[in-house]
Amino acid sequence: MKNYQKLAVATAGVALSFATIEANSAQAAIITYDFTVDVTTGSLTDTQYQGFFSYDDSTLTASGVESVGIAEGLSISFDFLGVTYTEADDDLVDFGFPLVEFNQGSLVGLQYTVSNNAIFSIFGDNPNGLGGGDQFNYIDETSFEVGNGSVTYSLRPASVSVPEPSAVFGLGVLGFGWLVRNKFGLRR
C-alpha cells in the first residue's frame, strides 16, 4: 500500500473517531437546578434555605406538560433547619414522587413534601393543575404555626466535556510516529 493510501486510511479513521465523539456528546445530559427558599411568614420569617435537584433529561421532549421523577434519575438535596433531605424523604416516594414538572420545555418547579423530622412542602399554585412550582410552606413543630415562602430556581451551567488526555496524547504519538517514519525512511 502506498504512502498516500495509508495516509488516506489514517485520515478517514481519525475523522470517523471524531464523528463518533461528536455523536456521543449530543446524547442526554444531567441537568442541575439550584433552588432557594425565602420564608416570608411564620416563625422562620426572613430565613433562607438552599437545595438543588438533578435529573437526566433524556425523556423530555419540550412538548406539552412533562415531569421527571426518581425513575428518570431525579435526585434532590435540600438543607432545612440543619437537616439535609433527599428524594427518598418524600412522603409519597412509593407513588412516584417527588417530581420536577415542565410545561412546553420550561421549568414549572419541584413538587416535594416531607413530614419526617420537619413538615414542609414545595409545590405550585398553578391554574393548569401542575403540582410543582414556586410555593413553600411549613409547620413549626413546636408551636404548630404555619409559615409560607417562595422558591426561586437557578439552572447551573452545564459542564464542558474535555477530551480525555490519553486519547489526545495517543493521537499525537501516532502522528509523530508517522512523521518520523516517513522523514527518516524507516519502512519495513
Side-chain angles (χ1 to χ4, degrees), residues 17-69:
S17 297
F18 285 129
T20 302
I21 291 169
E22 185 64 31
N24 286 341
S25 66
Q27 292 178 354
I30 302 299
I31 306 297
T32 301
Y33 278 88
D34 294 304
F35 63 91
T36 301
V37 170
D38 290 300
V39 180
T40 55
T41 65
S43 60
L44 300 176
T45 298
D46 296 327
T47 58
Q48 282 190 336
Y49 300 94
Q50 309 292 322
F52 69 90
F53 60 85
S54 299
Y55 60 90
D56 179 345
D57 73 345
S58 64
T59 62
L60 297 175
T61 64
S63 175
V65 174
E66 300 176 284
S67 63
V68 294

Side-chain angles (χ1 to χ4, degrees), residues 5 33 43 49 51-52 61 77 87 106-107 124 131-132 144 162:
Q5 289 174 325
Y33 278 88
S43 60
Y49 300 94
F52 69 90
T61 64
S77 178
E87 65 281 357
S106 296
L107 176 70
F144 297 104
V162 177

Side-chain angles (χ1 to χ4, degrees), residues 93-175:
V93 72
D94 293 335
F95 300 100
F97 289 89
L99 294 174
V100 175
E101 295 179 324
F102 302 86
N103 191 3
Q104 303 298 341
S106 296
L107 176 70
V108 173
L110 181 62
Q111 185 174 0
Y112 184 48
T113 302
V114 174
S115 63
N116 60 339
N117 294 329
I119 301 172
F120 65 86
S121 182
I122 297 173
F123 63 99
D125 186 17
N126 299 302
N128 57 10
L130 295 174
D134 59 0
Q135 304 295 309
F136 177 79
N137 68 18
Y138 68 94
I139 298 175
D140 184 316
E141 291 184 303
T142 314
S143 66
F144 297 104
E145 180 182 9
V146 175
N148 297 298
S150 62
V151 183
T152 54
Y153 300 96
S154 173
L155 178 63
R156 275 192 200 168
S159 61
V160 177
S161 89
V162 177
E164 192 174 320
S166 61
V168 173
F169 179 73
L171 286 173
V173 167
L174 286 173

Side-chain angles (χ1 to χ4, degrees), residues 63-84:
S63 175
V65 174
E66 300 176 284
S67 63
V68 294
I70 294 173
E72 293 81 24
L74 176 62
S75 64
I76 299 172
S77 178
F78 178 51
D79 295 320
F80 183 62
L81 298 175
V83 177
T84 300

